[in-house]
Amino acid sequence: MTNIKDNLQTVRQEILHAVERRRKDFGTNEVKLIAVTKNHDVDLMREVIDLGVDEIGENRIQEAAEKFSTLDRHVKWHLIGHLQTNKVKSAVKMFDLIHSIDSEHLAKTVDKAAKAIDKIQSILIQVNLAKEESKTGVEIEDFDNLVSTVESLENLRLCGLMLIAPNYDDVEQCRPLFKQMYEIFNNLRNSKLKQADVKYLSMGMTHDYKIAIEEGANMVRVGTAIFGKRDYN
Ligand SMILES: *Cc1c(COP(=O)(O)O)cnc(C)c1O
């Protein structure tokens, strides 16, 4: 049986150790842990929340909505999966931070839905740095335009960037991508945008979070290392 308590403790220790291994100053040594609860039921969510986790990640709107109406705990909800425009309204109702803004059209749709319920929606821009065929994330060529669009939308607050690294056999291959992402993040943070509050660099999952943290991630999305293997992805 999976021991969530032990697993969580191990992940937290690994996070601290990875911070200690950092070779440069990334502005903060705090790393937020998002427990990715997709495909796990509400009982398991309660268990991990009662162990002190206060941020959870979901990647499907319908699954999240069912849990959102059932879960009797106060936590921050993160949307980490791809967002379709026809699901934006429900997403804006539930999520504190949407990690997956990757097009101007999606940004505008989210802004409109947020405006309708009088909310300033916090978002991250997801970048497809490795140019993977998976196709989610904005290509780096279109990044500046997307930032400008987001800045112009009154009901969006840009809080940082998100990366899903490719699932390389050798996880060290992710390192250059993480380094590059940090540079992009740091430039954005220093660019003195008016509306934005750039502070989160969301990168790192079970197989690569330690390297991501060594290279500057301050938000990691971890599922398997806490809950064990999922039945499906
Ligand atoms: C599922 C998922 C995670 C967590 O993956 P694990 O390998 O289980 O840690 C992180 N980020 C995103 C975007 C995901 O879809």
Side-chain angles (χ1 to χ4, degrees), residues 36 38 59 80 162 164 205-206 221-224 230:
V36 176
K38 65 185 184 196
N59 72 334
I80 60 175
M162 188 268 231
I164 302 176
M205 331 185 0
T206 291
R221 313 173 304 264
V222 180
T224 308
R230 288 177 296 272

Side-chain angles (χ1 to χ4, degrees), residues 147-163:
V147 171
S148 308
T149 300
V150 167
E151 261 294 280
S152 72
L153 296 169
E154 285 180 0
N155 288 69
L156 296 188
R157 180 168 293 126
L158 177 58
C159 296
L161 302 179
M162 188 268 231
L163 172 77

